[in-house]
Amino acid sequence: MISNDIVSGFINIVPRLFECEEVYWSRTRDVFEARLQTYNLKKQNWLFGAVLGEIGSNTFDHNLIFPDSNAKGLYCDFEYNDGEYVILLDFGKGLKASLSRIRTEIVTDRQAIEVAFTEQVSGRMPEQRGNGLKFVLSTIVSSGWEMYYHSGNAVCLADKDGYLFENSDFIHNGCFCVLGIGGE
Amino acid sequence: MTVEMSNFGEMLLSRPAGREAFLGACAYIFDKVEPLDAIVLDFKNVKILAPSWADEFVSGIKNKFSNKVEFVNTENPSVKASLRAIESPIDMSVFRRKII
């Protein structure tokens, strides 16, 4: 699993992301896709590129309006910790607000993250969609990569041994993830 | 009918792009398909296929046409994984960490 030091180190700088260099922010989908294509051409790990594309697209699929206009879009650090990890973060509505619209029994962040990663469901019903995060999680585990995904106070952790869910003391309004692919 | 998917790009990412590609194909490619033709999607030279893009394109075809849909040149790992993801539900229970 991704170490606590890596995760807590990033969580400590989250409040300062509003002020960070604009180069880390993709305010719109087209900018994110252009940056992702540049990263993919450099790394040439096509499956990992598909994973990043699915996670990043969710920010723009589910947040047509951002609660805080200063934090519009997707924060991307493709070279976190000397290139060991990729970080994607948004200050959008988060999983619980998206999914509780169509699954009214969802009242906690933990319920929302478990449904998002394990069930075929989408906050954009009646559109037939909702396999993106299942693709992400199954690919991370199958490939032996690592993921820390956080929304609200709930966390999904994954590595070669499988995935599990936890609660966190840190509350993030939106979603963020830390992804690592080792030496690949 | 064979469709060279790399004509839509080497990196096929996001739902809006998949939807746009499907609509373009309906206007300029699928207008020539015969009712009994198989629609063969050839992924040669595609570097990345994301499941959201694939879902918009492949589901679009299946919803609009009754033709058989086939896939070729799917060795690329992102193509293989994304097609598998949209063709059948992923059983997530097999990936859950076993608590000892």
Side-chain angles (χ1 to χ4, degrees), chain A residues 156-168:
Chain A
C156 176
L157 291 155
D159 67 8
K160 62 181 171 47
D161 295 322
Y163 67 86
L164 55 88
F165 299 101
E166 289 181 350
N167 290 330
S168 169

Side-chain angles (χ1 to χ4, degrees), chain B:
Chain B
M1 162 180 284
T2 298
V3 182
E4 291 181 33
M5 299 303 287
S6 60
N7 286 336
F8 300 105
E10 290 184 328
M11 299 187 200
L12 307 178
L13 298 161
S14 89
R15 283 188 180 275
R19 180 72 181 157
E20 174 63 21
F22 171 67
L23 293 174
C26 285
Y28 294 110
I29 298 174
F30 299 140
D31 60 326
K32 301 171 189 68
V33 71
E34 298 293 334
L36 295 177
D37 273 357
I39 297 175
V40 181
L41 306 184
D42 184 347
F43 289 92
K44 186 179 180 187
N45 296 326
V46 170
K47 291 189 166 77
I48 298 181
L49 177 67
S52 54
W53 195 102
D55 191 32
E56 289 292 331
F57 196 88
V58 177
S59 299
I61 295 172
K62 289 184 174 177
N63 289 336
K64 185 161 182 170
F65 303 98
S66 57
N67 302 62
K68 187 178 178 189
V69 180
E70 297 173 0
F71 309 117
V72 297
N73 290 316
T74 59
E75 297 80 12
N76 175 295
S78 79
V79 171
K80 196 183 298 182
S82 293
L83 291 177
R84 195 166 53 224
I86 65 162
E87 287 291 280
S88 56
I90 302 171
D91 178 5
M92 294 306 299
S93 65
V94 302
F95 299 103
R96 187 180 284 273
R97 176 172 284 218
K98 308 289 183 290
I99 306 296
I100 301 170

Side-chain angles (χ1 to χ4, degrees), chain A residues 161-179:
Chain A
D161 295 322
Y163 67 86
L164 55 88
F165 299 101
E166 289 181 350
N167 290 330
S168 169
D169 295 331
F170 178 70
I171 297 172
H172 176 69
N173 295 318
C175 299
F176 79 85
C177 68
V178 183
L179 296 149

